[in-house]
Amino acid sequence: MPKPITFKPGSKINLEEIPTRVEQDEFNKSSAREKLESNAEEMADLARCLFAENKRAILLVLQGMDTAGKDGTIGAVMRGMNPRSCQVVSFKVPSEQEADHDFLWRVHQVVPRMGNIGIFNRSHYEDVLVVRVQELVPPDIWKGRFELINDFEKILRQCGTIIVKCFLHISKDEQRQRLQARIDEPHSRWKFNPGDLEQRKRWSDYQAAYREALIKCNTKYAPWYIIPSDQKWYRNLVVSNLMLDTMKELNPKYPTVAEDYSGLVIE
């Protein structure tokens, strides 16, 4: 069964040595689609129990380079979820109000409530990635944020929120193909942003920033999962399996009722 790539807290990694594509015989694009549908049905049932139980929450964090497939992953993996208990939050350039607070202020306001599943399309990690590469804050500022992020995630975990952090790992050539497809395919041109080309020029800088974020914020209570993402179907299947396993491990239960109402007839 396709699984994410993990590494022990405190250990070092080199993203150039970690595969972005995995060849295996068990699944292909067609069989992965069937498995995704099966997983989605099972996850929807577990999500209903989680919502009814109202004691714990799940936060799925998706990070990756432009075109890594954060939106596509959400659409493929979380379909069938009740929007009442499953919410997606996208983090863009901070508003004036957000910028006037500490960098975690806007994040803490949108973490999932108990019983819910929250999905971050980009996240608090932008404040040690983009701000670093684009030199928006001095190094002594963003370097101090790693420890603050770990403390923040520890608080969430101790209060009942399970954090699933996925780095969607793609190759530079795969990004080139996906950007080109956005230009060549009429229905995808709305996705293309010329600014993406400027960011692409800083590929090495972003890889270095991601490497440090992955290493310094890989903890027992909030580990990082590296998802080979050159193949979209493989990426989706790995994240789907990971989320299903997380929900099964939680094993949420419907609350017991004080009285047995079976046999009651409403007139």
Side-chain angles (χ1 to χ4, degrees):
M1 183 67 67
K3 293 184 178 296
I5 296 169
T6 59
F7 59 103
K8 295 181 179 179
S11 62
K12 306 297 183 182
I13 59 169
N14 185 345
L15 288 176
E16 293 182 356
E17 297 175 355
I18 297 176
T20 58
R21 178 182 294 267
V22 176
E23 302 297 339
Q24 49 89 51
D25 300 325
E26 185 179 1
F27 284 93
N28 54 34
K29 189 173 183 179
S30 177
S31 58
R33 186 182 300 112
E34 295 177 1
K35 178 60 174 171
L36 276 172
E37 292 176 357
S38 174
N39 284 0
E41 291 180 5
E42 195 168 357
M43 287 167 60
D45 289 338
L46 289 166
R48 283 190 285 271
C49 290
L50 184 71
F51 183 76
E53 184 186 68
N54 197 41
K55 292 181 179 179
R56 294 165 293 178
I58 299 174
L59 173 59
L60 172 62
V61 174
L62 297 175
Q63 286 286 161
M65 297 291 290
D66 291 330
T67 77
K70 295 175 286 294
D71 289 329
T73 300
I74 295 169
V77 174
M78 306 307 293
R79 57 185 172 180
M81 288 287 177
N82 187 336
R84 183 184 178 190
S85 63
C86 182
Q87 300 86 33
V88 179
V89 180
S90 296
F91 289 90
K92 302 184 183 299
V93 176
S95 67
E96 181 179 354
Q97 182 184 29
E98 291 169 342
D100 282 343
H101 290 81
D102 68 88
F103 79 102
L104 288 171
W105 180 81
R106 65 171 180 165
V107 183
H108 213 152
Q109 293 187 83
V110 291
V111 296
R113 298 172 57 178
M114 292 297 103
N116 288 26
I117 299 173
I119 305 168
F120 283 0
N121 183 340
R122 300 187 187 273
S123 67
H124 41 298
Y125 283 94
E126 294 296 290
D127 286 286
V128 291
L129 296 167
V130 174
V131 299
R132 168 181 175 172
V133 175
Q134 296 187 3
E135 300 180 346
L136 300 178
V137 299
D140 62 318
I141 297 296
W142 61 257
K143 286 181 179 180
R145 289 176 175 174
F146 293 118
E147 184 176 354
L148 295 174
I149 287 174
N150 287 337
D151 289 342
F152 170 67
E153 293 177 350
K154 189 173 185 178
I155 290 172
L156 295 184
R157 183 65 184 86
Q158 289 180 339
C159 292
T161 298
I162 307 302
I163 306 171
V164 182
K165 301 187 298 190
C166 295
F167 172 59
L168 307 184
H169 187 35
I170 62 170
S171 65
K172 189 175 183 180
D173 185 61
E174 180 64 23
Q175 187 195 58
R176 179 191 63 78
Q177 295 181 48
R178 293 183 185 182
L179 287 172
Q180 189 65 53
R182 290 182 178 181
I183 297 173
D184 295 342
E185 299 172 10
H187 66 279
S188 297
R189 284 177 189 156
W190 66 273
K191 297 180 182 179
F192 180 71
N193 181 350
D196 293 341
L197 301 181
E198 292 301 316
Q199 296 303 310
R200 177 172 166 78
K201 293 177 181 178
R202 310 195 72 171
W203 177 275
S204 296
D205 294 333
Y206 273 105
Q207 293 296 295
Y210 268 111
R211 177 181 179 274
E212 187 166 8
L214 291 170
I215 292 173
K216 290 194 172 181
C217 296
N218 185 48
T219 60
K220 291 183 178 179
Y221 50 84
W224 271 107
Y225 298 95
I226 301 176
I227 316 294
S229 299
D230 277 4
Q231 301 151 289
K232 297 177 182 179
W233 65 266
Y234 186 88
R235 172 202 70 203
N236 295 339
L237 184 58
V238 172
V239 177
S240 175
N241 289 337
L242 178 59
M243 286 296 291
L244 179 57
D245 288 345
T246 299
M247 297 174 77
K248 282 183 174 179
E249 186 174 345
L250 281 180
N251 193 25
K253 301 294 185 183
Y254 285 110
T256 57
V257 295
E259 298 183 37
D260 182 6
Y261 294 106
S262 58
L264 178 65
V265 177
I266 306 297
E267 297 181 354

